[in-house]
C-alpha cells in the first residue's frame, strides 16, 4: 500500500509521451485535415503541465504536514497493510475526487482554477496535461483531508491522488469509441468527451475520476450521443495559447466582478456562487430595467409600443 511518488511519475512520463506521439501520428494518418492536434495548443498544454507540477511540489510542502497532523491526532481507523486497506483508500479518494470535481464546476472560486483544463477547443492526450498552477490556491488539497481522518498516512494519500490523475490521462482521446460494459464501471473516453463538451445537453456532466458509479448514483451521468458530437472548449472561448492568460483569465474576471458588486453578500456570491451567477444577475437586472422602461412608456403612450410615442 506504499507509493513511491517520484518513481511513479518517472515511470509514467515516457508512457504518456508515447501515447501522445502515437495519437498524433494515428490521427494524421486516419483523419487528415481534422487538426485534432496543433503545435500552439500542444505546447501551451506542455507549459501548463510544467507550471502545474512546480506549483504542486510547493503545495505538497504545506499539505503533507497538514495531513500528518490530522492523521496523528484525529484518525478514526488504524489500517493493517493489505488489499482491503488499499481498496478502501482507492474508493474513498475516488469519491472525494468526484466531490471536488463537481464542486469545481459549481463554485466559481474552484472553477477559476479548473477552467484551465477545459479551455482548449481540442481534446487529445495532450489535453490531460492542461492543468492549473492555481489548484493549490483554490484548495484542491483540502478535499483529501478526510482521507487522513479515515486513517491513511500522508504519502499514501499523495500516491493515490496521483494514481487517480494518472488514470485520467487515458480518457482524454477521440480515438477510442464506447467500451461496452466497461462504460458502467469506469470513466471512459466516451464518458469524458461528454465532460469536456460545451453542448447544452453535455455541459457540467460526467465528473468521474476512475469509477463511473458516482455519476450514475448522484444523477450527473449523460451518455455520449452519436447524433450530437461534442463541441469542446468553454462557453466564452479563451482565444489564446498564452499559458499565463490561460492560468489567470478567470481569476481576473472574478476579481472584476467581485469589485463591482454593491454589497458583501453579492461579493461573496461573485466568488463562491456558480460560475454563471454574475452573468445571470446582470441579465436579470437588465430585464428588470427593460421591464421598468416598458411600463413607463406604456403608461404614457397611447399607442402602447416602446418608441412609437407621437409628438
Amino acid at each position: 500500500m506504499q507509493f513511491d511518488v517520484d518513481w511513479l511519475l518517472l515511470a509514467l512520463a515516457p508512457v504518456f509521451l508515447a501515447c501522445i506521439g502515437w495519437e498524433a501520428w494515428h490521427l494524421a494518418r486516419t483523419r487528415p485535415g481534422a487538426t485534432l492536434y496543433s503545435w500552439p495548443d500542444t505546447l501551451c498544454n506542455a507549459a501548463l503541465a510544467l507550471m502545474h507540477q512546480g506549483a504542486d511540489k510547493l503545495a505538497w510542502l504545506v499539505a503533507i504536514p497538514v495531513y500528518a497532523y490530522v492523521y496523528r491526532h484525529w484518525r478514526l481507523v488504524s489500517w493493517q497493510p493489505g488489499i482491503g486497506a488499499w481498496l478502501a483508500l482507492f474508493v474513498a479518494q475516488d469519491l472525494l475526487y468526484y466531490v471536488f470535481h463537481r464542486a469545481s464546476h459549481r463554485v466559481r472560486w474552484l472553477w477559476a482554477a479548473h477552467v484551465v483544463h477545459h479551455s482548449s477547443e481540442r481534446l487529445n492526450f495532450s489535453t490531460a496535461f492542461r492543468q492549473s498552477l492555481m489548484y493549490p490556491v483554490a484548495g484542491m488539497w483540502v478535499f483529501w483531508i478526510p482521507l487522513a481522518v479515515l486513517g491513511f498516512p500522508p504519502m499514501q494519500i499523495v500516491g493515490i491522488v496521483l494514481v487517480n490523475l494518472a488514470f485520467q490521462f487515458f480518457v482524454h482521446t477521440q480515438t477510442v469509441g464506447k467500451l461496452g460494459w466497461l462504460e458502467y464501471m469506469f470513466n471512459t473516453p466516451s464518458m469524458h468527451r461528454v465532460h469536456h463538451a460545451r453542448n447544452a445537453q453535455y455541459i457540467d456532466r460526467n465528473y468521474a475520476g476512475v469509477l463511473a458509479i458516482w455519476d450514475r448514483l448522484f444523477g450527473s451521468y449523460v451518455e455520449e450521443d452519436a447524433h450530437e458530437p461534442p463541441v469542446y472548449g468553454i462557453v466564452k472561448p479563451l482565444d489564446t495559447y498564452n499559458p499565463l492568460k490561460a492560468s489567470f483569465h478567470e481569476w481576473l474576471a472574478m476579481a472584476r466582478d467581485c469589485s463591482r458588486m454593491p454589497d458583501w453578500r453579492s461579493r461573496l456570491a461573485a466568488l463562491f456562487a456558480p460560475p454563471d451567477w454574475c452573468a445571470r444577475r446582470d441579465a436579470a437586472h437588465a430585464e428588470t430595467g427593460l421591464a421598468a422602461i416598458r411600463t413607463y412608456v406604456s403608461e404614457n403612450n397611447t399607442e402602447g409600443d416602446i418608441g412609437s410615442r407621437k409628438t
Side-chain angles (χ1 to χ4, degrees), residues 36-269:
L36 298 180
Y37 269 89
S38 80
W39 277 111
D41 183 72
T42 303
L43 291 175
C44 179
N45 294 343
L48 287 165
L50 292 173
M51 293 160 62
H52 166 71
Q53 285 299 312
D56 247 17
K57 290 290 186 184
L58 295 175
W60 289 130
L61 295 177
V62 175
I64 289 175
V66 173
Y67 301 157
Y69 180 86
V70 173
Y71 173 77
R72 283 195 304 269
H73 296 283
W74 293 338
R75 72 176 182 268
L76 302 177
V77 182
S78 294
W79 295 91
Q80 294 299 314
I83 188 65
W86 189 91
L87 286 174
L89 174 60
F90 168 77
V91 173
Q93 193 275 328
D94 198 60
L95 173 58
L96 291 173
Y97 179 83
Y98 174 89
V99 173
F100 158 75
H101 200 180
R102 187 162 184 167
S104 292
H105 282 254
R106 304 310 304 149
V107 177
R108 193 178 184 185
W109 180 265
L110 295 168
W111 174 246
H114 189 58
V115 67
V116 177
H117 184 60
H118 284 267
S119 58
S120 175
E121 296 186 358
R122 292 174 170 81
L123 182 71
N124 53 55
F125 280 136
S126 79
T127 308
F129 287 172
R130 193 181 185 94
Q131 302 292 341
S132 174
L133 64 83
M134 296 297 284
Y135 275 132
V137 175
M140 182 180 185
W141 60 275
V142 174
F143 285 81
W144 318 136
I145 291 177
L147 296 175
V149 176
L150 292 174
F152 298 107
M155 293 314 297
Q156 291 180 6
I157 295 173
V158 175
I160 202 65
V161 167
L162 291 173
V163 167
N164 192 297
L165 295 177
F167 170 87
Q168 292 183 53
F169 171 87
F170 298 101
V171 301
H172 290 83
T173 182
Q174 298 182 54
T175 61
V176 178
K178 293 188 178 182
L179 297 178
W181 61 270
L182 290 175
E183 301 284 339
Y184 293 93
M185 298 179 61
F186 299 108
N187 188 12
T188 64
S190 174
M191 189 173 175
H192 205 61
R193 285 193 290 270
V194 166
H195 179 70
H196 272 264
R198 65 174 185 254
N199 313 50
Q201 73 185 65
Y202 294 152
I203 201 164
D204 290 346
R205 298 288 183 170
N206 296 3
Y207 301 107
V210 177
L211 300 176
I213 58 173
W214 313 122
D215 282 298
R216 295 177 182 275
L217 184 62
F218 298 119
S220 52
Y221 175 77
V222 167
E223 185 176 0
E224 184 180 23
D225 186 346
H227 302 292
E228 182 72 20
V231 178
Y232 302 110
I234 52 180
V235 174
K236 295 180 180 179
L238 184 59
D239 294 328
T240 181
Y241 296 111
N242 184 323
L244 291 176
K245 289 183 178 179
S247 296
F248 296 112
H249 77 280
E250 182 63 17
W251 292 96
L252 295 173
M254 184 171 62
R256 286 194 296 268
D257 284 339
C258 183
S259 65
R260 67 183 175 87
M261 292 297 135
D263 55 70
W264 67 270
R265 289 180 182 274
S266 55
R267 291 190 192 101
L268 286 176

